[in-house]
Amino acid sequence: MIEPPHILLLVQLLGYIFAEFYLIPSMNKQPGTPLAVRVSTSLTHGLLQLFILSCFSQLWTQIIGLSVIITVCIYLINWILNTGKLTPWRFAFKHIIVATLIAYCWYQMVPNYALWHEFQSLLSSQLLLIIGGYLLVLAPAGIVVGLVLDKWDGVFQQSHQSLANAGKSIGILERLLILTFILIGQWSGVGFLLAAKSIFRFGDLRQSKDRKMTEYVMLGSLTSFATAIFIGIAVNAAIS
């Protein structure tokens, strides 16, 4: 069970995930992005953190100072790490640094923590963890799968035609189902989903006799499954 002071940290991290993967367009985080766009991206994070902190405390000098620190640090992190091609290690390193930064700012708030009663009644650690799990299995997990498959992606773009964004949509749905099955304790549903996808997807690939394409799809599917299962286990462990 997460104690009330730690709910602030959880809300801050959820706010960062929401802004980074859902509120800010992905094109704004590409290498070579104009200065004004990079500044607006960092300000979006800073303003959202300012709003979150203001809901938990009224010490405005401290709140504004910590929000400015978050804004400047996120700008510097993006400027340093987004100069080259995004890799899985860069992706993980960037968000670990930001999570550490947010944890530091939260630690500075703890001595003056004053949770408003109306927010205390609305928020629960279980609900926030579940929301965070679903946010993670959507856009961030999809990015992880894409990074893993990136080195082989160009091999199949021209030789195989499919519905636009069909693979992305299938991946999102399967990760949502996997997380739901894990949260309700139905691991048999995860096994059924994997078996069903194997029958329909890998059967067609076997008939096509394209070994490289089969390995590519298997790698993507297993990465998607593994990411969703890891997130599900982590959320369950945090709730319990």
PDB file of all heavy atoms in Angstrom, residues 51-71:
ATOM      1  N   PHE A  51       1.142  22.686 -12.108  1.00  0.00           N
ATOM      2  CA  PHE A  51      -0.268  22.476 -11.773  1.00  0.00           C
ATOM      3  C   PHE A  51      -0.425  21.353 -10.746  1.00  0.00           C
ATOM      4  O   PHE A  51      -1.181  21.484  -9.778  1.00  0.00           O
ATOM      5  CB  PHE A  51      -1.057  22.145 -13.043  1.00  0.00           C
ATOM      6  CG  PHE A  51      -2.467  21.701 -12.771  1.00  0.00           C
ATOM      7  CD1 PHE A  51      -3.440  22.619 -12.401  1.00  0.00           C
ATOM      8  CD2 PHE A  51      -2.816  20.366 -12.884  1.00  0.00           C
ATOM      9  CE1 PHE A  51      -4.744  22.213 -12.132  1.00  0.00           C
ATOM     10  CE2 PHE A  51      -4.113  19.943 -12.628  1.00  0.00           C
ATOM     11  CZ  PHE A  51      -5.084  20.870 -12.241  1.00  0.00           C
ATOM     12  N   ILE A  52       0.293  20.247 -10.951  1.00  0.00           N
ATOM     13  CA  ILE A  52       0.190  19.108 -10.036  1.00  0.00           C
ATOM     14  C   ILE A  52       0.659  19.504  -8.637  1.00  0.00           C
ATOM     15  O   ILE A  52      -0.020  19.236  -7.641  1.00  0.00           O
ATOM     16  CB  ILE A  52       1.012  17.913 -10.571  1.00  0.00           C
ATOM     17  CG1 ILE A  52       0.372  17.358 -11.848  1.00  0.00           C
ATOM     18  CG2 ILE A  52       1.120  16.821  -9.506  1.00  0.00           C
ATOM     19  CD1 ILE A  52       1.206  16.318 -12.552  1.00  0.00           C
ATOM     20  N   LEU A  53       1.809  20.168  -8.554  1.00  0.00           N
ATOM     21  CA  LEU A  53       2.345  20.552  -7.245  1.00  0.00           C
ATOM     22  C   LEU A  53       1.428  21.545  -6.548  1.00  0.00           C
ATOM     23  O   LEU A  53       1.275  21.510  -5.318  1.00  0.00           O
ATOM     24  CB  LEU A  53       3.746  21.147  -7.410  1.00  0.00           C
ATOM     25  CG  LEU A  53       4.843  20.179  -7.866  1.00  0.00           C
ATOM     26  CD1 LEU A  53       6.146  20.931  -8.113  1.00  0.00           C
ATOM     27  CD2 LEU A  53       5.061  19.072  -6.839  1.00  0.00           C
ATOM     28  N   SER A  54       0.801  22.439  -7.323  1.00  0.00           N
ATOM     29  CA  SER A  54      -0.085  23.436  -6.718  1.00  0.00           C
ATOM     30  C   SER A  54      -1.349  22.806  -6.146  1.00  0.00           C
ATOM     31  O   SER A  54      -2.008  23.411  -5.291  1.00  0.00           O
ATOM     32  CB  SER A  54      -0.463  24.500  -7.753  1.00  0.00           C
ATOM     33  OG  SER A  54      -1.272  23.949  -8.778  1.00  0.00           O
ATOM     34  N   CYS A  55      -1.701  21.611  -6.618  1.00  0.00           N
ATOM     35  CA  CYS A  55      -2.865  20.909  -6.080  1.00  0.00           C
ATOM     36  C   CYS A  55      -2.565  20.269  -4.728  1.00  0.00           C
ATOM     37  O   CYS A  55      -3.488  19.900  -4.001  1.00  0.00           O
ATOM     38  CB  CYS A  55      -3.338  19.833  -7.070  1.00  0.00           C
ATOM     39  SG  CYS A  55      -4.034  20.481  -8.591  1.00  0.00           S
ATOM     40  N   PHE A  56      -1.278  20.135  -4.407  1.00  0.00           N
ATOM     41  CA  PHE A  56      -0.888  19.459  -3.176  1.00  0.00           C
ATOM     42  C   PHE A  56      -0.271  20.397  -2.146  1.00  0.00           C
ATOM     43  O   PHE A  56      -0.058  20.008  -1.005  1.00  0.00           O
ATOM     44  CB  PHE A  56       0.106  18.329  -3.489  1.00  0.00           C
ATOM     45  CG  PHE A  56      -0.511  17.142  -4.152  1.00  0.00           C
ATOM     46  CD1 PHE A  56      -0.761  17.140  -5.510  1.00  0.00           C
ATOM     47  CD2 PHE A  56      -0.861  16.018  -3.409  1.00  0.00           C
ATOM     48  CE1 PHE A  56      -1.332  16.040  -6.125  1.00  0.00           C
ATOM     49  CE2 PHE A  56      -1.437  14.917  -4.017  1.00  0.00           C
ATOM     50  CZ  PHE A  56      -1.679  14.928  -5.382  1.00  0.00           C
ATOM     51  N   SER A  57       0.051  21.604  -2.547  1.00  0.00           N
ATOM     52  CA  SER A  57       0.685  22.533  -1.616  1.00  0.00           C
ATOM     53  C   SER A  57       0.433  23.959  -2.090  1.00  0.00           C
ATOM     54  O   SER A  57       0.137  24.185  -3.272  1.00  0.00           O
ATOM     55  CB  SER A  57       2.189  22.260  -1.526  1.00  0.00           C
ATOM     56  OG  SER A  57       2.829  23.220  -0.717  1.00  0.00           O
ATOM     57  N   GLN A  58       0.554  24.895  -1.178  1.00  0.00           N
ATOM     58  CA  GLN A  58       0.370  26.309  -1.524  1.00  0.00           C
ATOM     59  C   GLN A  58       1.626  27.135  -1.239  1.00  0.00           C
ATOM     60  O   GLN A  58       1.564  28.351  -1.139  1.00  0.00           O
ATOM     61  CB  GLN A  58      -0.818  26.878  -0.744  1.00  0.00           C
ATOM     62  CG  GLN A  58      -2.160  26.273  -1.176  1.00  0.00           C
ATOM     63  CD  GLN A  58      -3.322  26.843  -0.401  1.00  0.00           C
ATOM     64  OE1 GLN A  58      -3.310  26.851   0.820  1.00  0.00           O
ATOM     65  NE2 GLN A  58      -4.336  27.331  -1.114  1.00  0.00           N
ATOM     66  N   LEU A  59       2.758  26.466  -1.113  1.00  0.00           N
ATOM     67  CA  LEU A  59       4.034  27.163  -0.949  1.00  0.00           C
ATOM     68  C   LEU A  59       4.554  27.550  -2.335  1.00  0.00           C
ATOM     69  O   LEU A  59       5.359  26.857  -2.942  1.00  0.00           O
ATOM     70  CB  LEU A  59       5.036  26.268  -0.214  1.00  0.00           C
ATOM     71  CG  LEU A  59       4.630  25.870   1.208  1.00  0.00           C
ATOM     72  CD1 LEU A  59       5.631  24.874   1.781  1.00  0.00           C
ATOM     73  CD2 LEU A  59       4.529  27.107   2.100  1.00  0.00           C
ATOM     74  N   TRP A  60       4.091  28.670  -2.841  1.00  0.00           N
ATOM     75  CA  TRP A  60       4.286  29.011  -4.247  1.00  0.00           C
ATOM     76  C   TRP A  60       5.742  29.233  -4.609  1.00  0.00           C
ATOM     77  O   TRP A  60       6.154  28.922  -5.726  1.00  0.00           O
ATOM     78  CB  TRP A  60       3.457  30.248  -4.584  1.00  0.00           C
ATOM     79  CG  TRP A  60       1.998  29.929  -4.638  1.00  0.00           C
ATOM     80  CD1 TRP A  60       1.050  30.208  -3.706  1.00  0.00           C
ATOM     81  CD2 TRP A  60       1.332  29.210  -5.679  1.00  0.00           C
ATOM     82  NE1 TRP A  60      -0.174  29.717  -4.093  1.00  0.00           N
ATOM     83  CE2 TRP A  60      -0.030  29.108  -5.298  1.00  0.00           C
ATOM     84  CE3 TRP A  60       1.743  28.655  -6.883  1.00  0.00           C
ATOM     85  CZ2 TRP A  60      -0.981  28.468  -6.088  1.00  0.00           C
ATOM     86  CZ3 TRP A  60       0.806  28.024  -7.681  1.00  0.00           C
ATOM     87  CH2 TRP A  60      -0.541  27.930  -7.282  1.00  0.00           C
ATOM     88  N   THR A  61       6.531  29.778  -3.703  1.00  0.00           N
ATOM     89  CA  THR A  61       7.952  29.987  -4.010  1.00  0.00           C
ATOM     90  C   THR A  61       8.639  28.660  -4.302  1.00  0.00           C
ATOM     91  O   THR A  61       9.380  28.519  -5.291  1.00  0.00           O
ATOM     92  CB  THR A  61       8.646  30.689  -2.841  1.00  0.00           C
ATOM     93  OG1 THR A  61       8.007  31.947  -2.587  1.00  0.00           O
ATOM     94  CG2 THR A  61      10.114  30.926  -3.174  1.00  0.00           C
ATOM     95  N   GLN A  62       8.385  27.670  -3.460  1.00  0.00           N
ATOM     96  CA  GLN A  62       8.985  26.356  -3.657  1.00  0.00           C
ATOM     97  C   GLN A  62       8.423  25.665  -4.900  1.00  0.00           C
ATOM     98  O   GLN A  62       9.169  25.055  -5.683  1.00  0.00           O
ATOM     99  CB  GLN A  62       8.743  25.480  -2.431  1.00  0.00           C
ATOM    100  CG  GLN A  62       9.440  24.123  -2.502  1.00  0.00           C
ATOM    101  CD  GLN A  62       9.137  23.267  -1.286  1.00  0.00           C
ATOM    102  OE1 GLN A  62       8.016  23.270  -0.776  1.00  0.00           O
ATOM    103  NE2 GLN A  62      10.133  22.535  -0.805  1.00  0.00           N
ATOM    104  N   ILE A  63       7.115  25.781  -5.094  1.00  0.00           N
ATOM    105  CA  ILE A  63       6.471  25.133  -6.243  1.00  0.00           C
ATOM    106  C   ILE A  63       7.007  25.685  -7.548  1.00  0.00           C
ATOM    107  O   ILE A  63       7.366  24.929  -8.465  1.00  0.00           O
ATOM    108  CB  ILE A  63       4.936  25.319  -6.161  1.00  0.00           C
ATOM    109  CG1 ILE A  63       4.355  24.511  -5.013  1.00  0.00           C
ATOM    110  CG2 ILE A  63       4.277  24.916  -7.480  1.00  0.00           C
ATOM    111  CD1 ILE A  63       2.890  24.801  -4.755  1.00  0.00           C
ATOM    112  N   ILE A  64       7.077  27.000  -7.661  1.00  0.00           N
ATOM    113  CA  ILE A  64       7.573  27.623  -8.893  1.00  0.00           C
ATOM    114  C   ILE A  64       9.043  27.285  -9.110  1.00  0.00           C
ATOM    115  O   ILE A  64       9.471  26.985 -10.232  1.00  0.00           O
ATOM    116  CB  ILE A  64       7.363  29.151  -8.841  1.00  0.00           C
ATOM    117  CG1 ILE A  64       5.862  29.474  -8.851  1.00  0.00           C
ATOM    118  CG2 ILE A  64       8.070  29.832 -10.026  1.00  0.00           C
ATOM    119  CD1 ILE A  64       5.556  30.946  -8.641  1.00  0.00           C
ATOM    120  N   GLY A  65       9.827  27.313  -8.042  1.00  0.00           N
ATOM    121  CA  GLY A  65      11.252  26.986  -8.165  1.00  0.00           C
ATOM    122  C   GLY A  65      11.470  25.566  -8.671  1.00  0.00           C
ATOM    123  O   GLY A  65      12.280  25.333  -9.581  1.00  0.00           O
ATOM    124  N   LEU A  66      10.742  24.593  -8.101  1.00  0.00           N
ATOM    125  CA  LEU A  66      10.880  23.204  -8.537  1.00  0.00           C
ATOM    126  C   LEU A  66      10.384  23.011  -9.967  1.00  0.00           C
ATOM    127  O   LEU A  66      10.975  22.238 -10.736  1.00  0.00           O
ATOM    128  CB  LEU A  66      10.111  22.281  -7.584  1.00  0.00           C
ATOM    129  CG  LEU A  66      10.674  22.173  -6.156  1.00  0.00           C
ATOM    130  CD1 LEU A  66       9.752  21.340  -5.286  1.00  0.00           C
ATOM    131  CD2 LEU A  66      12.083  21.585  -6.176  1.00  0.00           C
ATOM    132  N   SER A  67       9.336  23.721 -10.346  1.00  0.00           N
ATOM    133  CA  SER A  67       8.824  23.616 -11.715  1.00  0.00           C
ATOM    134  C   SER A  67       9.824  24.170 -12.722  1.00  0.00           C
ATOM    135  O   SER A  67       9.989  23.618 -13.821  1.00  0.00           O
ATOM    136  CB  SER A  67       7.485  24.358 -11.841  1.00  0.00           C
ATOM    137  OG  SER A  67       6.523  23.816 -10.963  1.00  0.00           O
ATOM    138  N   VAL A  68      10.495  25.265 -12.351  1.00  0.00           N
ATOM    139  CA  VAL A  68      11.527  25.827 -13.228  1.00  0.00           C
ATOM    140  C   VAL A  68      12.688  24.841 -13.372  1.00  0.00           C
ATOM    141  O   VAL A  68      13.221  24.647 -14.475  1.00  0.00           O
ATOM    142  CB  VAL A  68      12.016  27.176 -12.678  1.00  0.00           C
ATOM    143  CG1 VAL A  68      13.254  27.649 -13.433  1.00  0.00           C
ATOM    144  CG2 VAL A  68      10.911  28.220 -12.775  1.00  0.00           C
ATOM    145  N   ILE A  69      13.080  24.201 -12.271  1.00  0.00           N
ATOM    146  CA  ILE A  69      14.156  23.206 -12.322  1.00  0.00           C
ATOM    147  C   ILE A  69      13.781  22.069 -13.272  1.00  0.00           C
ATOM    148  O   ILE A  69      14.592  21.643 -14.108  1.00  0.00           O
ATOM    149  CB  ILE A  69      14.451  22.657 -10.914  1.00  0.00           C
ATOM    150  CG1 ILE A  69      15.095  23.744 -10.046  1.00  0.00           C
ATOM    151  CG2 ILE A  69      15.367  21.431 -10.990  1.00  0.00           C
ATOM    152  CD1 ILE A  69      15.285  23.332  -8.603  1.00  0.00           C
ATOM    153  N   ILE A  70      12.556  21.575 -13.151  1.00  0.00           N
ATOM    154  CA  ILE A  70      12.096  20.488 -14.025  1.00  0.00           C
ATOM    155  C   ILE A  70      12.111  20.929 -15.484  1.00  0.00           C
ATOM    156  O   ILE A  70      12.568  20.194 -16.365  1.00  0.00           O
ATOM    157  CB  ILE A  70      10.686  20.031 -13.603  1.00  0.00           C
ATOM    158  CG1 ILE A  70      10.744  19.319 -12.241  1.00  0.00           C
ATOM    159  CG2 ILE A  70      10.072  19.104 -14.653  1.00  0.00           C
ATOM    160  CD1 ILE A  70       9.389  18.974 -11.667  1.00  0.00           C
ATOM    161  N   THR A  71      11.624  22.142 -15.761  1.00  0.00           N
ATOM    162  CA  THR A  71      11.571  22.651 -17.135  1.00  0.00           C
ATOM    163  C   THR A  71      12.967  22.748 -17.751  1.00  0.00           C
ATOM    164  O   THR A  71      13.211  22.265 -18.862  1.00  0.00           O
ATOM    165  CB  THR A  71      10.902  24.038 -17.165  1.00  0.00           C
ATOM    166  OG1 THR A  71       9.595  23.946 -16.609  1.00  0.00           O
ATOM    167  CG2 THR A  71      10.816  24.569 -18.590  1.00  0.00           C
TER     168      THR A  71
END
